[in-house]
């Protein structure tokens, strides 16, 4: 921790939200003379790296200046009246729950911008691509920083349009259908969510998330809480995505460009689970307790469903798409996050928050690697990659093969890597759920979830065997190994995956006090 004054902290948090928007507007302007480099396209791509780099620096300084002795306290707060008639305020702040997500978003967006700068996207002008990327970053950061229900909804919706265009204009085969499916699913879920947010705000007399958390549902009847949790939960579940509201995700990932998949899996999915923790758990605890067993049941069904879908795609002759397989794996991994939240215990919720960060790091790395594999081979079809003796990455591109194997074993939850702790804590939380929840039911959920970890290991090891192992064919074309810029884009994710796995207390020490206070009924 470094000593930074509160006004500077407030400025840094505000810059995280507003800075990318200003950068997006600047990206659409003509490049000034002398800054164009070899071409205007190169200049705007460099601009994207500069803006996202500045945002990452601001997020890092914010994290260093954060008072780690009081992670449950809202820090760097800004509270300005915006719409007095509705008591809607521009209220920003961060605590131990949101701070890791802010840093993760800034990091993944910067790495995506670096990757895009060296390997420009195929398609329309990079100007629009960079502007959409920055708008997407701004909306995601805003969702994790705002403390007003209306502002949260606006940020929640803000990310949909840029992601739609990233898929529709720069995606691969089937991009138009995938983009429409993505926007329709999420918009319909959001309409229902807005009704729930308005119900809470009107009945409680405020849209302020801090005040609502402190009230802890005392000003809301149980029936109002039940209706609100159902409405808001549907919208959040679509974005998470929770089975059976997940069907937009595989198509979106399959069609999206590489950085679109990285950001979709790495940060956009976290907005849904963050909403469960930040809004529903403290604001409507009685209503959430009513639906918690159903949420746990849907969560473990998603774990098994996602794993079985991946096993089906990984088998020989299935013509399985590797990007689609990783998308289905996200359904399973986010199932563990939802299970942890459903337990309503500090152990389970801390596990969910840890699994959120781990999934962002590991799945972001996986999509980067699969994108590189497609660039080199022209396909992500597992049967085409494997052929008779395997793509043999260990022999043809050992560093690429090693990184793919590393990401796979991290994703399956190998102890010592980031993927292990979140899923383990979620299962521990299910072993002893909160008071008022059926322990026998959650013991069943824990057992099913534990079985799901075995299925996860099975399909990921099958992928590693088929893609990485085998003797290289004599007439196989040369395969370029990992390049320098790829190391630059992927290296931080590898390092953080190892650090989080070996030192989980650094993250849990941030989230636990905030979670304890949130569940007890209050956020100062």
């Amino acid at each position: 921790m470094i000593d930074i004054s509160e006004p500077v902290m407030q400025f840094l948090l505000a810059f995280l939200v507003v800075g990318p928007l200003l950068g997006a507007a600047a990206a659409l302007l003509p490049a000034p003379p002398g800054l164009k480099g070899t071409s205007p396209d190169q200049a705007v791509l460099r601009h994207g790296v500069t803006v996202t780099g500045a945002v990452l620096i601001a997020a890092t300084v914010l994290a260093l200046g954060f008072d780690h002795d009081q992670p449950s306290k809202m820090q760097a707060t800004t509270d300005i009246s915006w719409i007095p008639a509705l008591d809607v305020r521009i209220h920003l702040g961060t605590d131990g729950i949101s701070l890791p997500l802010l840093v993760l978003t800034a990091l993944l967006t910067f790495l995506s911008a670096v990757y895009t700068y060296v390997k420009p996207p195929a398609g329309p002008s990079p100007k629009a691509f960079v502007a959409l990327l920055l708008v997407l970053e701004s909306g995601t950061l805003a969702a994790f920083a705002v403390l007003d229900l209306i502002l949260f909804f606006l940020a929640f919706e803000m990310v949909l349009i840029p992601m739609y265009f990233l898929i529709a204009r720069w995606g691969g085969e089937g991009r138009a259908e995938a983009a429409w499916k993505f926007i329709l699913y999420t918009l319909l879920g959001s309409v229902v969510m807005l009704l729930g947010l308005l119900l809470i705000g009107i009945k409680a007399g405020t849209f302020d998330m801090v005040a609502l958390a402190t009230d802890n549902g005392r000003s809301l009847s149980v029936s109002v809480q039940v209706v609100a949790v159902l409405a808001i939960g549907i919208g959040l579940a679509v974005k998470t995505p929770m089975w059976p509201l997940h069907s937009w995700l595989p198509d979106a990932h399959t069609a999206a460009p590489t950085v679109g998949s990285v950001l979709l899996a790495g940060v956009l999915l976290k907005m849904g689970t963050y909403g469960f923790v930040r809004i529903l758990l403290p604001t409507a605890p009685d209503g959430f307790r009513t639906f918690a067993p159903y949420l746990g049941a849907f969560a473990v069904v998603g774990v098994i469903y996602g794993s079985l879908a991946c096993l089906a795609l990984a088998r020989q002759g299935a013509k399985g798409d590797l990007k689609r397989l990783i998308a289905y794996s996200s359904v399973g991994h986010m199932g563990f996050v939802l299970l942890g939240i459903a337990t309503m215990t500090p152990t389970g919720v801390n596990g969910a928050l840890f699994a959120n960060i781990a999934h962002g790091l590991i799945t972001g790395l996986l999509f980067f690697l699969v994108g590189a594999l497609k660039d080199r081979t022209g396909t992500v079809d597992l049967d085409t990659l494997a052929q008779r003796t395997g793509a043999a990455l260990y022999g043809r591109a050992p560093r690429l093969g090693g990184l793919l194997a590393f990401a796979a074993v991290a994703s399956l939850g190998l102890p010592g890597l980031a993927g292990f702790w979140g899923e383990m804590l979620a299962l521990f939380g299910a072993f002893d759920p909160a008071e008022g929840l059926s322990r026998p039911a959650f013991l069943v959920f824990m057992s099913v979830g534990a079985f799901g970890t075995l299925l996860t290991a099975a399909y990921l090891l099958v992928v590693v065997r088929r893609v990485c192992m085998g003797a290289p064919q004599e007439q196989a074309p040369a395969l370029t190994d990992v390049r320098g810029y790829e190391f630059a884009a992927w290296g931080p994710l590898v390092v953080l995956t190892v650090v989080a796995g070996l030192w989980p207390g650094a993250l849990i020490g941030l989230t636990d006090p905030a979670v304890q206070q949130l569940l007890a009924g209050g956020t100062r």
Side-chain angles (χ1 to χ4, degrees), residues 276-299:
F276 276 106
V277 175
R278 177 64 77 197
I279 298 174
L280 292 186
L281 272 178
T283 301
D286 295 329
F288 193 90
R289 189 173 288 107
T290 300
F291 287 104
Y294 302 102
L295 180 63
F298 283 127

Side-chain angles (χ1 to χ4, degrees), residues 349-371:
V349 176
N350 276 308
L353 294 172
F354 197 103
N356 252 346
I357 301 298
H359 179 264
L361 296 171
I362 296 167
T363 307
L365 177 60
L366 276 169
F367 276 117
F368 269 134
L369 292 167
V370 172

Side-chain angles (χ1 to χ4, degrees), residues 345-440:
T345 62
T347 301
V349 176
N350 276 308
L353 294 172
F354 197 103
N356 252 346
I357 301 298
H359 179 264
L361 296 171
I362 296 167
T363 307
L365 177 60
L366 276 169
F367 276 117
F368 269 134
L369 292 167
V370 172
L373 193 60
K374 184 174 183 178
D375 291 339
R376 288 159 168 77
T377 63
T379 183
V380 286
D381 180 86
L382 270 173
D383 287 337
T384 305
L385 285 171
Q387 295 178 354
R388 292 184 295 107
T389 58
L393 287 184
Y394 289 156
R396 300 172 63 195
R399 290 191 292 273
L400 182 60
L403 282 172
L404 183 60
F406 169 84
V409 297
S411 185
L412 64 83
L414 184 73
L417 297 176
F420 171 73
W421 296 104
E423 295 181 2
M424 184 195 72
L425 290 173
L427 294 175
F428 278 178
F431 181 76
D432 188 17
E435 184 179 353
L437 298 179
S438 170
R439 191 172 185 225

Side-chain angles (χ1 to χ4, degrees), residues 65-144:
F66 187 82
D67 186 354
H68 292 260
D69 294 329
Q70 301 184 74
S72 61
K73 177 184 176 182
M74 278 295 171
Q75 302 179 36
T77 55
T78 299
D79 192 1
I80 303 170
S81 179
W82 183 34
I83 308 177
L86 299 177
D87 193 29
V88 178
R89 309 183 67 81
I90 299 176
H91 193 180
L92 307 177
T94 184
D95 63 357
I97 293 173
S98 57
L99 182 64
L101 291 167
L102 291 171
V103 177
L104 175 68
T105 302
L107 174 64
L108 284 177
T109 311
F110 172 69
L111 297 181
S112 296
V114 171
Y115 188 85
T116 302
Y117 174 68
V118 182
K119 185 172 179 54
S125 167
K127 273 194 172 190
F129 188 94
V130 171
L132 291 169
L133 189 69
L134 293 173
V135 172
L136 184 68
E137 180 181 35
S138 178
T140 310
L141 289 169
F144 299 138

